[in-house]
């Protein structure tokens, strides 16, 4: 399966997908393009080092967000990507893009959704004072982190945690869960019935 990975940041999740899926000869998953909205995103360097094509799509070069999404969609079509993976991609899609790729966009989020959606999940988790947090992998719908949940992992929050220490432990779990979920999807083992996601083997 051909996948496009979108990333805005350092790209540790992308790196895991490169090593565990793209470079694994037993998987038929290929990352055909990495797209970023930030030209300085280290994720782009990781892609280049792995010989994967990159594209930068900057929001400020477009008159509105629908046009911005449309340029991303053109790249996805040009590279024949069948699945879109959001690996630390920090922009929201407009409804036309989400409808076009219904249940073909998968996001990873650093909390146990529906708790703490949005861009500052780890800081929000600590500020609220919950004792358990985690990682969520879900399909993207038109809301903010509201799409059908495919899988979650829980992680304890310690009294001594700060944002850096908690995010580090969250990322250890992200790097295990994300490749696994993408494999399930690619193998046709994920069935979506409205909000309910069922894993079959
Ligand atoms: C990850 O922790 C991911 O869950 C989070 O951004 C980080 C990217 O890290 N995504 C969101 O917060 C989406 N709302 P990475 O660039 O090292 O993969």
């Amino acid at each position: 399966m051909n996948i496009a990975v979108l990333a805005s940041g350092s790209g540790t999740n992308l790196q895991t997908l490169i090593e565990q899926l793209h470079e694994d000869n037993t998987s038929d998953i290929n990352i055909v393009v990495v797209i970023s909205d930030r030209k300085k995103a280290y994720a782009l360097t990781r892609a280049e080092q792995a010989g994967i094509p990159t594209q930068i799509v900057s929001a400020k070069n477009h008159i509105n967000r629908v046009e911005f999404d449309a340029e991303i969609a053109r790249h996805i079509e040009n590279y024949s990507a069948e699945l879109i993976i959001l690996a630390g991609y920090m922009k929201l899609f407009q409804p036309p893009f989400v409808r076009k790729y219904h249940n073909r966009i998968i996001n990873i989020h650093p909390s146990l959704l529906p708790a703490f959606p949005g861009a500052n999940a780890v800081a929000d988790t600590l500020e609220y004072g919950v004792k358990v947090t985690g990682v969520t992998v879900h399909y993207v719908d038109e809301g903010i982190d509201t799409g059908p949940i495919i899988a979650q992992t829980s992680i304890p929050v310690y009294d001594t945690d700060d944002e850096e220490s908690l995010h580090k432990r969250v990322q250890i779990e992200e790097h295990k869960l994300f490749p696994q979920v993408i494999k399930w999807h690619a193998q046709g083992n994920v069935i979506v019935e409205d909000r309910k996601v069922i894993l079959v083997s």
Side-chain angles (χ1 to χ4, degrees):
M1 174 174 276
N2 286 347
I3 66 176
V5 178
L6 274 63
S8 304
S10 85
T12 64
N13 278 287
L14 168 67
Q15 188 67 43
T16 315
L17 303 183
I18 290 171
E19 289 166 15
Q20 293 193 35
L21 302 178
H22 185 74
E23 291 175 346
D24 176 2
N25 294 335
T26 64
S27 116
D28 64 352
I29 296 170
N30 293 307
I31 303 175
V32 289
V33 62
V34 171
I35 302 171
S36 183
D37 57 312
R38 290 186 51 237
K39 68 172 189 288
K40 290 195 174 143
Y42 190 66
L44 293 168
T45 306
R46 294 181 193 271
E48 281 156 18
Q49 284 169 351
I52 298 168
T54 59
Q55 295 289 340
I56 299 160
V57 181
S58 170
K60 59 175 189 279
N61 295 341
H62 296 84
I63 48 168
N64 60 43
R65 292 299 290 273
V66 171
E67 288 303 316
F68 170 69
D69 289 354
E71 189 187 343
I72 293 175
R74 278 194 292 278
H75 290 306
I76 287 163
E77 302 305 317
N78 285 346
Y79 286 94
S80 303
E82 300 148 272
L83 178 68
I84 301 161
I85 299 299
L86 309 185
Y89 180 68
M90 301 310 274
K91 288 222 163 22
L92 293 174
F93 292 116
Q94 298 302 300
F97 186 96
V98 176
R99 283 197 288 267
K100 182 179 170 88
Y101 297 107
H102 179 67
N103 288 346
R104 287 200 290 142
I105 312 170
I106 297 179
N107 182 45
I108 189 154
H109 185 78
S111 75
L112 285 181
L113 290 171
F116 312 117
N120 302 304
V122 179
D124 294 345
T125 300
L126 282 170
E127 194 181 315
Y128 197 95
V130 293
K131 302 296 185 194
V132 177
T133 186
V135 174
T136 303
V137 180
H138 65 95
Y139 289 109
V140 172
D141 68 5
E142 293 180 25
I144 300 175
D145 299 322
T146 53
I149 291 172
I150 309 169
Q152 294 183 301
T153 305
S154 62
I155 298 158
V157 180
Y158 302 135
D159 295 342
T160 50
D161 267 329
D162 58 16
E163 197 175 332
E164 192 186 338
S165 66
L166 182 56
H167 201 185
K168 209 176 255 176
R169 288 207 317 289
V170 164
Q171 290 218 297
I172 290 169
E173 297 306 321
E174 289 187 334
H175 299 164
K176 295 182 206 160
L177 190 64
F178 211 12
Q180 181 61 65
V181 169
I182 294 167
K183 270 189 204 164
W184 286 335
H185 176 102
Q187 290 164 351
N189 290 344
V190 184
I191 295 171
V192 191
E193 290 173 357
D194 297 324
R195 282 210 56 82
K196 286 255 171 67
V197 176
I198 299 158
L199 300 176
V200 293
S201 51

